[in-house]
């Protein structure tokens, strides 16, 4: 079926009101949950093929992550969809006037996933779109080929063809989809393609959510527990072999603290992945040789503290720490999106804030500090999609927190109620008596 006919078919149940009832929405969410819980081993196998992703990461960050999101939606959706009364007193309306708001479905939604978390970053937005009473075109990443093929087989088993359709393919197929008039487009990926998506959406005045990533800094304060910090940094940075949009991209700290981290980080890496991470069942691989080559070219950007070994035949790059990294070095000119952690020296907190503010607004900002003043300054004097103190990437776990970027790191947000708001129109309703 060509894209025009496909979108037209998906628009029919929305216009008929079929997707509005709570029962329809919860049924779709339960179907998605059933897919994840019944097909977990198949999903994990596909993720291993694409990314050598460890089984625990498959469940923690992909399968169970989306299940938790669905459970949260199912627990709250009825109350969220209840119309909310709005006061009318003081506006000169006649007695008996009422005002309220309610969430309406947008219509047909296009969700374009990405390759680093090809299950979570496709199905979590889809869960929000279905909760909003929309029908969906799902476009998996063609880079994660095994996962894309699996989802293209599984999703039609659990969803009617007039509710959710999967379109596989690359640039040509995505371009054909973007030429259609959707009611919302949700895209996860890089800024270059994000601009293409936004330009295509502008042709139809289609709203977009762009989750784009960027260089997320981690500030390490003086006098902090560096052993624990190194453990938490290593866990966050090197999960999925560093291919995580909200992973700490680089560390900002003073020279004395940097020297102590040089000793603590290799030990933390060894504790997590063993003396040879290449043989660890808990460490992944780079998704493709193109990305592998890009990352290897960044290894000369500083003095090697840990890692640095690599094997192109296996797309393997060891967890790597660099120090004496200049702000204008190659590794600091792009989002790393791989297992390389640069340490950049700053004199103090004020200079760290200046360093952050001189660059694009990051998707996340992390800080390790015992100082309330430092927390407050970082919160009020910088701008980022989100900020997390003490535990990188933890902000994604809480479905009551919005997730999304700002500026170059994206626009719009989702998770929990924020997903419902993204994939719905909040309609104002005023009822004034005639008599």
């Amino acid at each position: 079926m060509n894209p025009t006919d496909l979108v037209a078919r998906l628009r029919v149940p929305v216009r008929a009101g079929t997707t509005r009832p709570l029962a329809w929405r919860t049924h779709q969410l339960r179907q998605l949950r059933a897919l994840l819980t019944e097909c977990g081993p198949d999903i994990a196998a596909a993720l291993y093929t694409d990314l050598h992703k460890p089984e625990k990461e498959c469940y923690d960050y992909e399968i169970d992550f989306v299940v938790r999101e669905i459970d949260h939606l199912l627990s709250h959706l009825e109350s969220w969809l209840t119309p909310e009364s709005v006061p009318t007193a003081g506006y000169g309306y006649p007695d008996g006037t009422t005002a309220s708001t309610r969430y309406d479905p947008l219509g047909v939604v296009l969700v374009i996933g990405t390759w680093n978390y090809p299950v979570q970053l496709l199905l979590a937005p889809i869960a929000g779109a279905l909760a909003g009473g929309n029908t969906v075109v799902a476009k998996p990443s063609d880079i994660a080929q095994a996962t894309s093929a699996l989802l293209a087989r599984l999703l039609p088993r659990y969803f009617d063809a007039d509710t959710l359709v999967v379109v596989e393919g690359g640039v040509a197929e995505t371009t054909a989809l973007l030429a259609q008039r959707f009611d919302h487009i949700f895209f996860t990926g890089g800024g270059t393609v994000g601009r293409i998506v936004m330009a295509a959406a502008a042709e139809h005045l289609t709203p977009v959510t762009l989750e784009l990533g960027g260089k997320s800094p981690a500030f390490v304060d003086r006098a902090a527990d560096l052993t624990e910090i190194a453990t938490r940094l290593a866990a966050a940075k090197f999960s999925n072999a560093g291919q995580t949009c909200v992973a700490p991209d680089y560390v900002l700290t003073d020279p004395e603290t940097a020297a102590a981290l040089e000793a603590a980080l290799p030990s933390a890496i060894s504790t997590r992945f063993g003396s040879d991470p290449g043989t660890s069942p808990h460490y992944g691989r780079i998704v493709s040789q193109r990305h592998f080559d890009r990352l290897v070219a960044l290894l000369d950007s500083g003095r090697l503290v840990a890692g640095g070994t690599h094997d192109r035949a296996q797309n393997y790059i060891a967890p790597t720490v660099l120090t004496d990294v200049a702000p204008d070095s190659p590794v600091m000119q792009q989002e790393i999106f791989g297992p390389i952690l640069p340490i950049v020296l700053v004199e103090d907190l004020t200079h760290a804030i200046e360093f952050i503010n001189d660059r694009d607004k990051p998707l996340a900002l992390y800080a390790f500090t015992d100082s309330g003043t430092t927390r407050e300054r970082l919160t009020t004097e910088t701008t980022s999609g989100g900020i997390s103190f003490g535990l990188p990437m933890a902000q994604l776990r809480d479905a009551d927190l919005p997730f999304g970027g700002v500026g170059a790191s994206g626009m719009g947000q989702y998770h929990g109620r924020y997903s419902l708001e993204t994939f719905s129109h909040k309609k104002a309703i005023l009822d004034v008596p005639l008599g």
Side-chain angles (χ1 to χ4, degrees):
M1 180 176 290
N2 67 52
T4 302
D5 293 340
L6 179 63
V7 174
R9 186 181 74 193
L10 289 168
R11 203 174 298 285
V12 170
V14 179
R15 288 182 173 174
T18 304
T19 68
R20 284 182 176 271
L22 174 66
W24 185 93
R25 305 178 194 219
T26 56
H27 174 70
Q28 310 310 321
L29 291 173
R30 291 192 178 99
Q31 287 296 99
L32 188 59
R33 191 185 195 282
L35 183 157
L36 290 160
T37 56
E38 293 169 6
C39 305
D42 292 333
I43 294 170
L47 291 168
Y48 186 87
T49 298
D50 286 327
L51 290 151
H52 202 85
K53 188 167 289 195
E55 184 178 22
K56 187 175 188 303
E57 288 187 18
C58 292
Y59 280 90
D60 286 351
Y61 298 118
E62 303 261 21
I63 300 166
D64 291 345
F65 185 101
V66 183
V67 169
R68 289 193 300 271
E69 176 73 11
I70 292 169
D71 288 344
H72 186 79
L73 290 167
L74 287 170
S75 295
H76 298 282
L77 190 56
E78 183 175 9
S79 63
W80 291 341
L81 291 176
T82 302
E84 297 181 8
S85 296
V86 176
T88 59
Y91 293 98
Y93 297 125
D95 290 344
T97 296
T98 61
S100 62
T101 62
R102 76 174 186 186
Y103 290 115
D104 279 356
L106 293 176
V108 185
V109 172
L110 172 62
V111 178
I112 304 175
T114 191
W115 55 263
N116 59 324
Y117 290 87
V119 174
Q120 180 206 138
L121 297 179
L122 183 74
L123 299 189
I126 286 175
L130 295 171
N134 304 283
T135 56
V136 179
V137 175
K139 173 60 183 68
S141 170
D142 62 311
I143 295 176
Q145 295 181 3
T147 307
S148 176
L150 178 67
L151 292 174
R153 292 196 304 272
L154 292 180
L155 284 165
R157 297 182 192 173
Y158 289 82
F159 292 93
D160 294 335
D162 60 354
T163 296
L164 189 153
V165 175
V166 182
V167 176
E168 286 195 281
V171 173
E173 289 76 12
T174 304
T175 301
L177 286 173
L178 289 172
Q180 308 307 309
R181 181 178 68 82
F182 287 94
D183 299 290
H184 194 93
I185 298 174
F186 190 105
F187 169 78
T188 304
T192 299
V193 180
R195 290 178 177 87
I196 296 171
V197 170
M198 194 169 182
E203 291 295 317
H204 301 288
L205 296 180
T206 300
V208 297
T209 301
L210 303 178
E211 300 294 346
L212 303 179
K215 295 184 75 64
S216 297
F219 174 73
V220 179
D221 207 357
R222 293 184 176 94
D225 183 345
L226 295 183
T227 300
E228 182 62 24
I229 290 170
T231 297
R232 297 184 184 188
L233 275 173
K237 176 63 179 182
F238 301 117
S239 292
N240 202 32
Q243 299 165 115
T244 304
C245 61
V246 289
D249 190 89
Y250 62 96
V251 170
L252 286 174
T253 194
D254 64 274
E256 182 179 349
T257 305
L261 272 178
E262 287 183 30
L265 280 167
S267 177
I269 292 169
S270 179
T271 298
R272 186 169 184 82
F273 301 111
S275 58
D276 180 7
T279 64
S280 170
H282 307 298
Y283 188 65
R285 296 294 184 271
I286 308 306
V287 70
S288 69
Q289 291 193 334
R290 180 173 68 86
H291 284 277
F292 173 91
D293 292 339
R294 177 185 64 81
L295 289 164
V296 168
L298 303 178
L299 292 174
D300 293 331
S301 295
R303 177 168 56 85
L304 196 65
V305 172
T309 57
H310 49 87
D311 182 347
R312 193 171 191 269
Q314 297 186 40
N315 286 343
Y316 166 75
I317 300 176
T320 298
V321 179
L322 302 175
T323 192
D324 298 337
V325 175
D328 60 352
S329 63
V331 79
M332 293 302 294
Q333 302 310 303
Q334 58 181 271
E335 182 180 7
I336 297 169
F337 224 70
I340 304 170
L341 181 63
I343 300 175
V344 179
L345 302 183
V346 288
E347 293 180 27
D348 52 27
L349 174 63
T350 296
H351 286 88
I353 291 172
E354 291 175 356
F355 190 97
I356 294 165
N357 290 338
D358 284 343
R359 287 153 178 81
D360 287 338
K361 297 171 183 177
L363 181 56
L365 170 61
Y366 303 114
F368 299 91
T369 180
D370 294 322
S371 167
T373 299
T374 298
R375 289 189 183 92
E376 181 62 22
R377 287 195 63 191
L378 286 168
T379 301
T380 58
E381 296 179 31
T382 67
T383 301
S384 58
I387 186 167
S388 180
F389 296 101
L391 189 60
M393 304 202 305
Q395 72 275 21
L396 272 72
R397 301 177 187 173
D398 192 336
D400 288 314
L401 285 174
F403 176 73
V406 59
S409 61
M411 63 178 66
Q413 43 192 207
Y414 71 121
H415 289 173
R417 182 160 189 163
Y418 302 97
S419 289
L420 179 65
E421 293 176 352
T422 289
F423 293 110
S424 304
H425 168 63
K426 195 168 189 178
K427 179 188 288 182
I429 303 169
L430 182 68
D431 189 348
V432 180
L434 293 174

